[in-house]
Amino acid sequence: MSDDGKDWIRVARLDEIKAGGRIVCEVAGLSVLLCRTGGDWVAVRNHCTHLGKPLAEGRIMGGRIFCPHHSACFDLRSGEALSGPAVGRLSCYPVRVDADDIWVRVGGDAVPERLS
């Protein structure tokens, strides 16, 4: 699947992720955390901007994810770091649902992140 020359990668089927659920998938060599929050799908880089630790086991509450290692907090929609020790925002990726498949695109649309 392509949109303006950028490739979308199929990462899951709709029935694989329950409401409030998440999976980690590899997209173009990056570890991406795909979350189903409310009725929305969000995809972010699966590494905290503090020390690069994985976020997949972090607590998700109110559209935010908390790093399970040092409690940094990020907004899942914008990637914005809401509390330290995070040093920058998470990369966020567009998600598309097509029939029963979920697609993610990484590349130029991602918001850049900074690791300390």
Side-chain angles (χ1 to χ4, degrees), residues 64-79:
R64 298 174 178 183
I65 188 164
F66 295 84
C67 178
H69 303 280
H70 299 109
S71 300
C73 178
F74 300 92
D75 182 289
L76 279 170
R77 294 186 201 322
S78 70

Side-chain angles (χ1 to χ4, degrees), residues 28-74:
L30 298 174
S31 179
V32 173
L33 179 62
L34 176 67
C35 304
R36 187 174 182 180
T37 97
D40 297 325
W41 294 95
V42 294
V44 297
R45 182 93 182 265
N46 183 36
H47 292 100
C48 179
T49 61
H50 171 224
L51 293 175
K53 301 279 188 179
L55 293 170
E57 298 302 318
R59 182 173 44 114
I60 295 176
M61 185 184 328
R64 298 174 178 183
I65 188 164
F66 295 84
C67 178
H69 303 280
H70 299 109
S71 300
C73 178
F74 300 92

